[in-house]
């Protein structure tokens, strides 16, 4: 009798222990809540059936002293259904209670994060909600948020953290190709002047002579020529701080000062007038161009330079190179024949500058419209007395008390023109 009544007692205890607010808890999954409700209703129905079966069993026991097999089978089936529904109820109850605990924890965390930020950092979403009343009042429509403190590349924002790449090698100004000095013969001297003997007379009277007759007298003469050493120099004043703090500054100054000397050297070699401390340049000593034969063509740049070769040849020298301004050389290269073909060049090819088999040296040191030709190595010699040197001193003027440094570059040299007739100068002016 006691065994028969146990299912009813278990069902009643299960019903009384079920949380009262299970069905009222907000769930993330609506199907779980509906199923929990159905299981609870089913358990209530089974509880009524178990109770009825227990009452029938009690009546049968009082009447006949035992319970029928049919009543027992019905009770066993109800108890099995009750156990299955009880397990399902427990699983769903645990799931719902777990979700409830999570919701409570989230609510507590949110509340803690919004209390003046004292209990922990707010999430991005919390920060947005806390700072913008428009979000709090959001009801599904679009919301416009004004950016107040965006981080940008400006100074005072992220700009102070941006590191930019920087080239340490400076972009230098262009330098002229200095080629004239390389065309001369080179030498060195050990004093401030250089003396050499130069033949100035050659009167040859050699002739065929009959036996017993006197031979004709020839005449030769030499003169002593002394050229003096000239100095080229310049300097720059630099603060001690800039030399100490600026990388490569001293090396850059050294390079620029040396280039300045070489540039002035080329100008003096080519066009020095010999006045004062100036060199006497090649153009100053070279003979002027004179057409050797009026019957020869002399109407173009190309014609005139060929006649210059002839003039040198008539002096028993051999012209090896021309010095031209780049504009004049471009005009020669672009010369065309009557059908429009280039004569001395091909636009689709690369060729060494050559005219009439002689080298052409382009130089901005040569004035436009003028030219020089000859065997320059035979004509002139450049002697070095003191090659380029760069000195640094703090003893110039008020350098010591002003914290300045003077950097000076200089060279000393001598230019000797031994065979001026090996050169010729002219222009491209046509009548």
């Amino acid at each position: 009798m006691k065994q028969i009544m146990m299912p009813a007692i278990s069902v009643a205890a299960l019903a009384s222990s079920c949380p009262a607010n299970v069905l009222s808890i907000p769930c993330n999954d609506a199907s779980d809540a509906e199923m929990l409700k159905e299981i609870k209703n089913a358990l209530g129905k089974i509880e009524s059936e178990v109770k009825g079966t227990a009452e029938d069993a009690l009546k049968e026991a009082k009447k006949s002293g035992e319970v029928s097999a049919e009543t027992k089978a019905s009770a066993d089936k109800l108890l099995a259904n009750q156990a299955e529904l009880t397990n399902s109820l427990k699983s769903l109850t645990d799931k719902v209670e777990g979700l409830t605990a999570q919701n409570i924890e989230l609510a507590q965390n949110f509340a803690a994060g919004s209390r003046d930020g004292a209990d922990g950092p707010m999430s991005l979403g919390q920060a947005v909600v806390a700072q913008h009343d428009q979000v709090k009042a959001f009801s599904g429509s679009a919301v416009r948020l004004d950016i107040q403190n965006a981080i940008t590349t400006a100074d005072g924002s992220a700009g102070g953290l941006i590191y930019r790449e920087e080239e340490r090698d400076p972009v230098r100004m262009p330098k002229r190709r200095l080629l004239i000095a390389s065309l001369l013969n080179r030498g060195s001297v050990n004093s401030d002047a250089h003396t050499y003997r130069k033949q100035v007379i050659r009167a040859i009277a050699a002739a065929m002579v009959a036996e017993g007759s006197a031979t004709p007298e020839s005449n030769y003469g030499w003169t002593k020529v002394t050229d003096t050493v000239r100095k080229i120099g310049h300097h720059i004043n630099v603060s001690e701080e800039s030399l100490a703090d600026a990388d490569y500054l001293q090396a850059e100054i050294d390079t620029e000062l040396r280039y300045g000397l070489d540039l002035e050297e080329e100008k003096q070699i080519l066009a020095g007038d010999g006045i004062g401390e100036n060199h006497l340049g090649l153009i100053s000593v070279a003979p002027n161009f004179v057409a050797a034969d009026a019957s020869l063509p002399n109407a173009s740049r190309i014609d005139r330079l060929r006649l210059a070769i002839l003039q040198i040849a008539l002096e028993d020298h051999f012209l090896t190179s021309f010095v031209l301004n780049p504009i004049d050389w471009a005009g020669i290269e672009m010369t065309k024949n009557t059908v429009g073909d280039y004569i001395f060049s091909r636009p689709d090819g690369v060729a060494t500058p050559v005219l009439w088999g002689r080298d052409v040296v382009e130089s901005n040191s040569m004035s436009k419209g003028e030219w020089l030709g000859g065997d320059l190595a035979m004509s002139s010699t450049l002697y070095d007395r003191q090659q380029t040197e760069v000195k640094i001193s703090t003893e110039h003027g008020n350098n010591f008390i002003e914290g300045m440094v003077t950097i000076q570059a200089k060279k000393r040299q001598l230019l000797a023109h031994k065979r001026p007739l090996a050169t010729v100068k002219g222009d491209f002016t046509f009548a």
Side-chain angles (χ1 to χ4, degrees):
M1 185 67 181
K2 291 181 179 180
Q3 294 177 352
I4 294 175
M5 295 301 294
M6 286 300 293
I9 296 171
S10 300
V11 172
L14 180 63
S16 64
S17 64
C18 180
N21 61 344
V22 165
L23 296 179
S24 63
I25 295 176
C27 298
N28 293 334
D29 192 345
S31 61
D32 291 342
E34 293 175 358
M35 188 176 294
L36 184 63
K37 183 177 181 180
E38 292 177 1
I39 292 175
K40 188 174 181 181
N41 292 335
L43 280 175
K45 184 177 179 180
I46 290 176
E47 179 183 358
S48 299
E49 293 178 356
V50 169
K51 183 177 181 181
T53 302
E55 290 177 352
D56 291 341
L58 182 61
K59 290 178 182 180
E60 289 179 3
K62 288 181 179 181
K63 184 176 179 180
S64 61
E66 62 180 0
V67 180
S68 66
E70 182 180 356
T71 300
K72 289 181 179 181
S74 178
D76 291 339
K77 183 177 180 180
L78 289 173
L79 289 173
N81 291 337
Q82 183 186 26
E84 182 178 354
L85 290 174
T86 300
N87 291 334
S88 299
L89 179 63
K90 184 176 184 305
S91 297
L92 284 175
T93 301
D94 292 342
K95 182 176 181 181
V96 172
E97 288 179 346
L99 291 173
T100 301
Q102 292 179 12
N103 290 338
I104 293 173
E105 183 179 0
L106 289 173
Q108 291 175 344
N109 290 340
F110 181 83
S114 62
R115 291 195 303 270
D116 298 329
D119 296 334
M122 291 188 294
S123 67
L124 178 62
Q126 293 169 357
V128 171
V129 172
Q131 296 297 324
H132 296 279
D133 294 335
Q134 296 181 64
V135 176
K136 296 178 182 179
F138 177 61
S139 60
S141 60
V143 178
R144 177 179 178 180
L145 302 180
D146 295 328
I147 299 175
Q148 302 294 332
N149 297 302
I151 295 177
T152 69
T153 59
D155 189 25
S157 187
L161 296 177
I162 297 175
Y163 294 89
R164 296 173 176 84
E165 294 184 359
E166 179 178 340
E167 291 186 25
R168 303 187 66 177
D169 194 32
V171 179
R172 301 172 181 87
M173 297 178 68
K175 293 181 179 179
R176 184 175 301 178
R177 297 173 65 229
L178 305 177
L179 304 174
I180 306 303
S182 65
L183 301 177
L184 305 183
N185 193 23
R186 299 298 295 261
S188 61
V189 294
N190 297 317
S191 64
D192 62 349
H194 179 67
T195 300
Y196 56 93
R197 278 74 178 172
K198 181 177 180 180
Q199 186 176 14
V200 293
I201 299 174
R202 179 190 283 164
I204 301 175
M208 304 300 293
V209 179
E211 183 178 355
S213 299
T215 59
E217 181 182 0
S218 296
N219 186 25
Y220 301 94
W222 292 262
T223 187
K224 187 183 290 186
V225 179
T226 300
D227 291 318
T228 58
V229 171
R230 307 298 174 93
K231 180 170 67 176
I232 304 173
H234 59 154
H235 76 275
I236 187 172
N237 293 315
V238 189
S239 70
E240 293 177 344
E241 291 82 359
S242 63
L243 284 179
D245 298 341
D247 292 344
Y248 305 118
L249 177 59
Q250 184 170 336
E252 288 296 314
I253 291 175
D254 183 278
T255 300
E256 289 296 328
L257 290 177
R258 291 174 182 272
Y259 170 70
L261 294 182
D262 294 338
L263 180 60
E264 179 61 21
E265 175 188 85
E266 176 164 296
K267 292 178 180 178
Q268 288 288 324
I269 290 173
L270 195 59
D273 59 12
I275 299 174
E277 295 301 319
N278 292 327
H279 282 311
L280 189 62
L282 292 167
I283 294 177
S284 297
V285 300
N288 290 318
F289 165 76
V290 177
D293 191 328
S295 65
L296 297 175
N298 185 20
S300 69
R301 295 184 181 93
I302 298 174
D303 293 340
R304 182 153 295 180
L305 294 179
R306 180 60 185 88
L307 292 177
I309 296 174
L310 174 61
Q311 182 170 329
I312 295 293
L314 294 176
E315 296 291 344
D316 294 322
H317 292 291
F318 182 84
L319 190 149
T320 59
S321 58
F322 291 107
V323 180
L324 301 177
N325 182 273
I327 295 176
D328 293 313
W329 176 239
I332 293 173
E333 282 197 311
M334 297 175 68
T335 302
K336 301 179 179 67
N337 58 22
T338 56
V339 295
D341 296 328
Y342 290 103
I343 297 175
F344 286 103
S345 61
R346 291 184 56 184
D348 60 346
V350 178
T352 302
V354 174
L355 182 64
W356 299 115
R358 274 66 172 181
D359 294 333
V360 175
V361 178
E362 297 178 76
S363 175
N364 283 324
S365 298
M366 176 62 73
S367 299
K368 174 188 173 184
E370 297 183 0
W371 54 267
L372 175 73
D375 185 348
L376 302 187
M378 181 68 71
S379 166
S380 305
T381 302
L382 181 65
Y383 292 96
D384 291 317
R385 173 63 183 94
Q386 184 178 351
Q387 294 186 351
T388 301
E389 66 175 3
V390 179
K391 293 182 178 180
I392 300 177
S393 174
T394 59
E395 306 305 319
H396 173 66
N398 294 326
N399 278 4
F400 182 76
I401 61 175
E402 293 177 355
M404 300 296 291
V405 175
T406 298
I407 304 178
Q408 181 193 65
K410 62 183 179 181
K411 64 166 58 177
R412 298 173 67 201
Q413 55 191 198
L414 181 150
L415 182 59
H417 301 292
K418 300 178 178 180
R419 301 177 183 89
L421 294 180
T423 61
V424 59
K425 66 183 177 185
D427 58 45
F428 291 121
T429 301
F430 300 95

